[in-house]
Amino acid sequence: ASHTLLKHEGISTASQPTKNLVVANGGLGNGVSREDLSAAMKQFGNVESLFMPPQKPYAFVTYRSEDDARKAHTQLNGQKLQSGENSVTLYLSYVDSEKHKEEVLVHFPEELALVEDFVSPEEEILLLAAVDWSTSNQAQKALKHRRVKHYGFEFRYDNNNVDKDKPLPAGLPEECLPVLHRCLQDGHINFLPDQLTVNQYETGQGIPPHIDTHSAFEDTILSLSLGAKTVMEFRHPDGRVVPVVLPERSLLVMKGESRYLWTHGITPRKFDLVPACETQSADHSEPNLVSHGGLTLSKRGTRTSFTFRKIRHEPCCCAFPSACDSQGGSSPCPPSQPSLPSCH
Ligand code: AKG
C-alpha cells in the first residue's frame, strides 16, 4: 500500500540507504501529530529535520547520519504508532533528495494585518469578564455554531444588516475603550467603532465564509481573539484560499480588499494545522507570508472574539462593486453586478 501511495504522490524512493526517509502513514493527513512522530523518530538518533506537508498522509525525516536512518528503517518499518486517538502502521523508505523540504509560501490577502500580543493577559481577563452571558435578550443569540452578543447595534442574521435607527441600550463595554484608543493611536483605525459583536466558539464550532455587508459597516473591521487561537480562512473569488492563524490576544485588521472582496470564515473543527514554530511565518522579515511547511496539529479551545465595526450611514462606494450591495441598483457609485454576501 505504501508503494502505491508513494507512486501516486510522485515521490521516488532510493534503492540504497540514505539519511532521508519518507514515513508513509506518518503524516498530518492521517491525524499523526508532529510531537508524536518526532518522539518516535528521535529514539533512533539525531533528527536533523522533520517535514510534515499539510493534509498529506506522509512525512519526511532527515537524520544527521545514514546510520541513524538505517536504525529507524529497520526498527520502525511496519510498526504501529499511536497518536491521540489514531493508530497507524508506519512504512519507511529511503529517499534521495531533500527537495521535498521546499516550503510553499502564500501571501496574506491585500490590506490584511495581524498584530500579535495586542492585548495583555490582564486585559484579556478584563475583556472576557465584561461579557455577561447570563442575561438573555434580543442582542444575544445561541446560533447553530456559536453564541453571539451584540453591543451598540444588533447585527441581524436574517438580512445581514443592522437597524441603524435602533441603537441598543448597551453601548460598547467600557473595558474596550483602552484597546480601541490604542487602535486609534497605532493608526489601525481613524474612527472609534460603535458596534461590537462578541462571538464565542466552543471546540468544533465555526462561522461560515462571509463578507461583512458593505452597506452596513465602514471599511476597517477589527477582530480581537481571546481565550484561544484559531485558524481563519480567507477566500478570494478567483479560488485562492489563505489560512491565517489568529493567536490568542492578537488583533486582526481587515481593510480594503481583505474586508471588501475576500470572504472570511472559520471551519468548524476540533483541530487546526498551525506552523510548528509559534509564529505565523518562519521568515520574520516577511511577517505577511503564511508558511505551509512545518505544520502541526493544534487542538482548539474556547475562543471568544470581539469584532469591532463602525456603522455606515452613506452607501458604500468601494472599489469592489462585484461584492458590493450598495452598488447594485440606483446608487451614487458606478453600477455593476451585485453579489450579496452569504448569510452567516
Ligand atoms: C463576524 O461576527 O462577522 C465575524 O466574522 C467574527 C470573526 C471572528 O470570530 O473573529
Side-chain angles (χ1 to χ4, degrees):
S2 70
H3 290 291
T4 318
L5 167 83
L6 297 178
K7 201 167 85 197
H8 285 172
E9 292 288 342
I11 300 163
S12 45
T13 55
S15 50
Q16 297 298 316
T18 69
K19 58 183 194 142
N20 311 306
L21 292 163
V22 58
V23 186
N25 291 340
L28 294 168
N30 285 44
V32 172
S33 75
R34 187 176 179 86
E35 290 71 28
D36 290 336
L37 186 65
S38 172
M41 304 312 296
K42 281 181 181 162
Q43 298 176 89
F44 306 104
N46 279 323
V47 173
E48 202 173 87
S49 71
L50 171 61
F51 176 53
M52 300 181 81
Q55 277 139 28
K56 294 292 183 188
Y58 49 80
F60 297 96
V61 182
T62 299
Y63 282 97
R64 287 261 164 78
S65 73
E66 196 181 291
D67 215 35
D68 290 344
R70 269 178 208 260
K71 279 188 220 148
H73 188 276
T74 314
Q75 301 200 39
L76 214 51
N77 196 24
Q79 298 300 310
K80 282 213 171 340
L81 176 75
Q82 188 73 33
S83 183
E85 289 164 9
N86 303 300
S87 173
V88 293
T89 305
L90 302 178
Y91 294 101
L92 282 70
S93 306
Y94 298 107
V95 282
D96 275 324
S97 72
E98 293 188 53
K99 66 171 184 288
H100 50 260
K101 283 201 217 145
E102 280 164 20
E103 290 191 348
V104 183
L105 294 171
V106 179
H107 280 272
F108 262 28
E110 276 298 304
E111 295 180 80
L112 184 75
L114 180 73
V115 190
E116 297 200 17
D117 295 312
F118 191 73
V119 292
S120 66
E122 294 74 29
E123 279 176 316
E124 179 181 34
I125 292 169
L126 283 177
L127 288 164
L128 288 172
V131 187
D132 179 5
W133 293 104
S134 66
T135 55
S136 186
N137 56 33
Q138 55 158 152
Q140 179 174 327
K141 299 234 160 46
L143 300 180
K144 194 165 153 221
H145 292 297
R146 63 197 195 278
R147 59 178 178 167
V148 297
K149 194 156 179 141
H150 303 289
Y151 297 86
F153 293 84
E154 185 193 359
F155 184 80
R156 289 180 40 187
Y157 295 97
D158 54 348
N159 63 3
N160 282 335
N161 219 310
V162 279
D163 292 328
K164 296 179 187 175
D165 46 4
K166 276 200 221 149
L168 292 168
L172 273 52
E174 61 180 29
E175 289 81 349
C176 298
L177 291 179
V179 176
L180 293 176
H181 282 292
R182 212 153 61 236
C183 289
L184 271 175
Q185 254 167 30
D186 295 355
H188 300 307
I189 44 177
N190 43 27
F191 48 73
L192 271 180
D194 52 10
Q195 198 273 339
L196 163 65
T197 297
V198 179
N199 285 280
Q200 191 166 74
Y201 308 83
E202 296 300 335
T203 310
Q205 297 186 321
I207 184 168
H210 63 279
I211 297 172
D212 289 42
T213 310
H214 292 202
S215 63
F217 303 113
E218 291 287 349
D219 186 357
T220 305
I221 294 173
L222 303 169
S223 185
L224 262 186
S225 292
L226 305 174
K229 66 167 161 261
T230 196
V231 173
M232 183 173 271
E233 275 117 24
F234 283 83
R235 290 186 164 75
H236 190 276
D238 69 8
R240 273 176 291 158
V241 181
V242 180
V244 176
V245 182
L246 306 182
E248 184 179 349
R249 296 193 304 280
S250 66
L251 175 75
L252 184 73
V253 186
M254 290 179 265
K255 265 190 216 226
E257 185 175 312
S258 69
R259 178 263 182 270
Y260 286 130
L261 191 60
W262 293 66
T263 65
H264 58 277
I266 299 170
T267 306
R269 59 177 168 232
K270 296 199 169 150
F271 289 88
D272 282 311
L273 281 172
V274 299
C277 56
E278 278 298 299
T279 53
Q280 190 86 215
S281 158
D283 184 350
H284 295 272
S285 61
E286 286 280 17
N288 285 350
L289 286 176
V290 179
S291 164
H292 272 194
L295 297 173
T296 191
L297 285 174
S298 153
K299 189 162 181 6
R300 278 201 192 155
T302 300
R303 171 177 176 268
T304 306
S305 66
F306 280 46
T307 302
F308 297 102
R309 300 176 277 210
K310 169 105 175 123
I311 301 293
R312 183 191 288 280
H313 295 283
E314 300 294 330
C316 175
C317 282
C318 67
F320 307 94
S322 63
C324 184
D325 62 316
S326 286
Q327 298 182 52
S330 53
S331 85
C333 317
S336 71
Q337 289 288 319
S339 156
L340 291 171
S342 65
C343 169
H344 63 289

